[in-house]
Amino acid sequence: MANYRIAPSILSADFSRLGEEVRNVVTAGADIIHFDVMDNHYVPNLTIGPLVCEAIRPHVQVPIDVHLMVKPVDRIVPDFAKAGANIITFHPEASEHVDRTLQLIRDNGCKAGLVFNPATPLHYLEHVMDKLDIILLMSVNPGFGGQSFIPHTLKKIAAVRKLINESGRDIMLEVDGGIKVDNIAEAARAGADTFVAGSAIFGKPDYKAVIDAMRGELAKV
Ligand code: DX5
Ligand code: ZN
């Protein structure tokens, strides 16, 4: 079986007890904590920033994967690195200088990645493959948890998988939005290796049961 990673999005967690929530989800088998940052400008919603990242950092050992849905991008990058982020991804259309932003993230000691919305073309990848540690494909339009998986994303996952394989580089391929027990295998078959899931996990009473069921589906791929 490939090396699959499950990355619960804390967007659907109980924010009144976030430390406990992230500890519980890691105990239940999460590989990564996915941290959704929204600014009410790039996306029509407002969530959490570096202070909250810093607050949960001591609660878990696993990587914190910061998904920036903000514009501009660069000013906030060092703050998240200082707050304990391990991975920082951003949307290329939100940065004036994509190559520079990727380098900035790496210079701050984090893994760097680009995020593509359902309708964003992949052409940025042609020029920056050598600066990427992760590619995140949105399978919903960013801004909210609990939306339905857009099936067209499967074709896009397959296209990016091909580009990664051709590059010969070790780049994670993460999918984000509407991932559930009943579609995770399809996303894996298309070529994803890292799966963000918010409402499918934090919306349920037994996190371990959901994560185990997801791994069960992945084992069949
Ligand atoms: C959406 C966020 C996602 C979201 C996923 O803008 O980037 O990470 O929390 O939530 P679900 O799994 O509920 O679609
Ligand atoms: Zn996300």
Side-chain angles (χ1 to χ4, degrees):
M1 190 171 80
N3 187 17
Y4 294 123
R5 305 172 198 90
I6 294 179
S9 161
I10 58 171
L11 191 59
S12 292
D14 179 347
F15 277 87
S16 69
R17 40 183 200 88
L18 205 47
E20 191 187 334
E21 287 277 73
V22 293
R23 288 198 308 274
N24 287 347
V25 88
V26 169
T27 305
D31 301 297
I32 290 172
I33 293 294
H34 185 81
F35 192 102
D36 286 308
V37 184
M38 304 185 187
D39 68 349
N40 188 37
H41 171 68
Y42 176 66
V43 289
N45 199 357
L46 183 64
T47 59
I48 45 179
L51 277 177
V52 177
C53 185
E54 194 179 0
I56 63 167
R57 181 67 283 181
H59 290 266
V60 288
Q61 301 293 320
V62 301
I64 298 180
D65 164 28
V66 172
H67 173 192
L68 293 178
M69 288 162 272
V70 305
K71 185 178 180 176
V73 180
D74 293 9
R75 223 235 23 98
I76 205 73
V77 165
D79 294 11
F80 271 106
K82 280 189 208 100
N86 304 92
I87 301 168
I88 300 180
T89 63
F90 65 98
H91 292 248
E93 67 276 23
S95 168
E96 303 291 345
H97 307 284
V98 170
D99 181 272
R100 178 185 286 157
T101 305
L102 288 169
Q103 192 58 49
L104 176 69
I105 294 170
R106 288 183 152 197
D107 289 348
N108 276 271
C110 297
K111 291 187 172 172
L114 290 182
V115 192
F116 295 88
N117 288 333
T120 306
L122 296 170
H123 60 76
Y124 292 96
L125 290 176
E126 268 175 52
H127 309 287
V128 294
M129 248 0 217
D130 60 329
K131 287 210 167 84
L132 294 177
D133 302 295
I134 180 165
I135 298 167
L136 172 49
L137 293 182
M138 293 305 298
S139 38
V140 297
N141 287 294
F144 302 94
Q147 304 180 78
S148 298
F149 184 88
I150 297 173
H152 175 74
T153 314
L154 293 171
K155 280 191 197 143
K156 222 167 169 184
I157 296 174
V160 174
R161 170 49 60 200
K162 191 163 174 277
L163 290 173
I164 293 174
N165 290 351
E166 282 166 5
S167 78
R169 301 194 65 249
D170 184 16
I171 300 174
M172 293 160 71
L173 177 44
E174 185 174 40
V175 59
D176 183 4
I179 293 289
K180 314 274 174 205
V181 172
D182 64 9
N183 64 9
I184 195 168
E186 223 177 348
R189 251 178 250 120
D193 55 33
T194 304
F195 306 88
V196 176
S199 51
I201 296 173
F202 283 108
K204 299 289 180 331
D206 187 344
Y207 303 162
K208 185 170 187 308
V210 181
I211 293 174
D212 286 352
M214 286 178 164
R215 289 205 197 281
E217 288 299 307
L218 291 171
K220 297 180 203 160
V221 172

